[in-house]
Amino acid sequence: MKQVKTFSEYMNDEERVSPAEREKIKFEIELIGKMVEAREQKGLSQRELAELSGVKQPAIARLESMKTTPQIDTLFKVLNPLGYTISIVPINAKK
Amino acid sequence: MKQVKTFSEYMNDEERVSPAEREKIKFEIELIGKMVEAREQKGLSQRELAELSGVKQPAIARLESMKTTPQIDTLFKVLNPLGYTISIVPINAKK
DNA sequence: TTATATGATAACATATTTGTTATCATTAGT
DNA sequence: ACTAATGATAACAAATATGTTATCATATAA
């Protein structure tokens, strides 16, 4: 008998994860994915991105390892040199 | 002779507003627009949205009047009952 | 082996947002 | 005129992220 929930099952259990939390987690996964990919694709180290963005390297490391939830300002500073920004979309505009 | 800059001219002056700041300001305008519109379209008062979102009414008021830059968590909590979420997009995916 | 670059972390101060409680001015309704 | 609802604000505590400086472990190159 199955006892352990998959990540997907866990995430969709509203008893444990509220819809808002779920969206936030999805966003963070999207963020880290695109951020790390774009940074490496541009051949930048965290220190170099720190230079370009004005966000210190420790903050970037904390961000990429999901140690903190970023501030909006920080988000824009880091994403800008990577060619990204953020936008508000209807919940069911899943891509 | 023209002495005063338009808002647009001001916003595009990189001497004054960095690209990251510009994206942030555009985002905040988009946020407030969609947020207020959706809230009123659903016939909700700030207090009712506070109930639904778990974010206190003073925080919502500060947000809608641009007194503060919201935390990511707060953003998701407030946008969720309004049917919105946020997403990361390439800078030149202007709609 | 030594030197260098990188990402992760620690520690502490600073900054900023939110929670909380209360109030105020304004507007709509009676 | 009175009442109720609404949005904006004030004040202070609590929470959390970032700046700053320094260090560590690991991988890579010489």
Side-chain angles (χ1 to χ4, degrees):
Chain A
M1 47 311 223
K2 202 156 157 221
Q3 297 172 321
V4 180
K5 295 200 173 197
T6 64
F7 179 67
S8 176
E9 283 170 332
Y10 182 84
M11 281 288 287
N12 287 295
D13 183 354
E14 297 209 6
E15 298 287 318
R16 298 164 201 267
V17 184
S18 73
E21 286 178 290
R22 184 155 46 243
E23 291 300 328
K24 182 191 159 196
I25 293 173
K26 291 199 313 196
F27 175 80
E28 289 185 331
I29 292 173
E30 180 190 1
L31 168 66
I32 295 176
K34 292 190 175 171
M35 189 176 152
V36 175
E37 183 196 339
R39 180 172 68 77
E40 294 182 342
Q41 193 275 322
K42 287 174 185 290
L44 299 173
S45 67
Q46 289 184 349
R47 280 178 175 78
E48 291 170 321
L49 179 56
E51 278 299 314
L52 292 176
S53 64
V55 174
K56 301 297 174 187
Q57 180 267 330
I60 293 176
R62 283 184 293 230
L63 228 174
E64 289 190 358
S65 53
M66 262 195 171
K67 291 282 185 294
T68 65
T69 297
Q71 220 98 74
I72 299 271
D73 313 62
T74 306
L75 213 43
F76 282 105
K77 286 190 212 161
V78 169
L79 288 179
N80 203 277
L82 299 177
Y84 284 109
T85 188
I86 62 182
S87 169
I88 299 172
V89 298
I91 284 190
N92 287 329
K94 291 300 80 169
K95 60 215 88 18
Chain B
M1 49 308 226
K2 204 156 156 221
Q3 298 172 320
V4 180
K5 294 202 174 197
T6 63
F7 179 68
S8 176
E9 284 170 332
Y10 181 85
M11 281 288 288
N12 287 295
D13 183 354
E14 297 208 6
E15 298 287 318
R16 300 165 200 263
V17 184
S18 73
E21 286 177 290
R22 185 158 42 246
E23 292 299 329
K24 182 193 159 195
I25 293 174
K26 292 199 311 197
F27 175 79
E28 289 185 331
I29 292 174
E30 180 190 1
L31 168 66
I32 294 175
K34 292 189 175 172
M35 189 176 152
V36 174
E37 184 197 337
R39 179 172 68 76
E40 294 182 342
Q41 193 274 324
K42 288 174 184 290
L44 298 174
S45 66
Q46 289 184 350
R47 281 178 174 79
E48 291 170 322
L49 180 55
E51 280 297 315
L52 292 175
S53 65
V55 175
K56 300 298 173 187
Q57 181 269 330
I60 293 176
R62 284 184 291 230
L63 228 175
E64 288 190 358
S65 53
M66 262 196 172
K67 292 281 182 296
T68 64
T69 297
Q71 220 96 73
I72 299 270
D73 312 63
T74 305
L75 213 43
F76 281 105
K77 285 190 213 162
V78 169
L79 287 179
N80 202 277
L82 299 177
Y84 285 109
T85 188
I86 63 182
S87 168
I88 299 173
V89 298
I91 284 190
N92 287 328
K94 291 300 80 171
K95 61 216 88 13

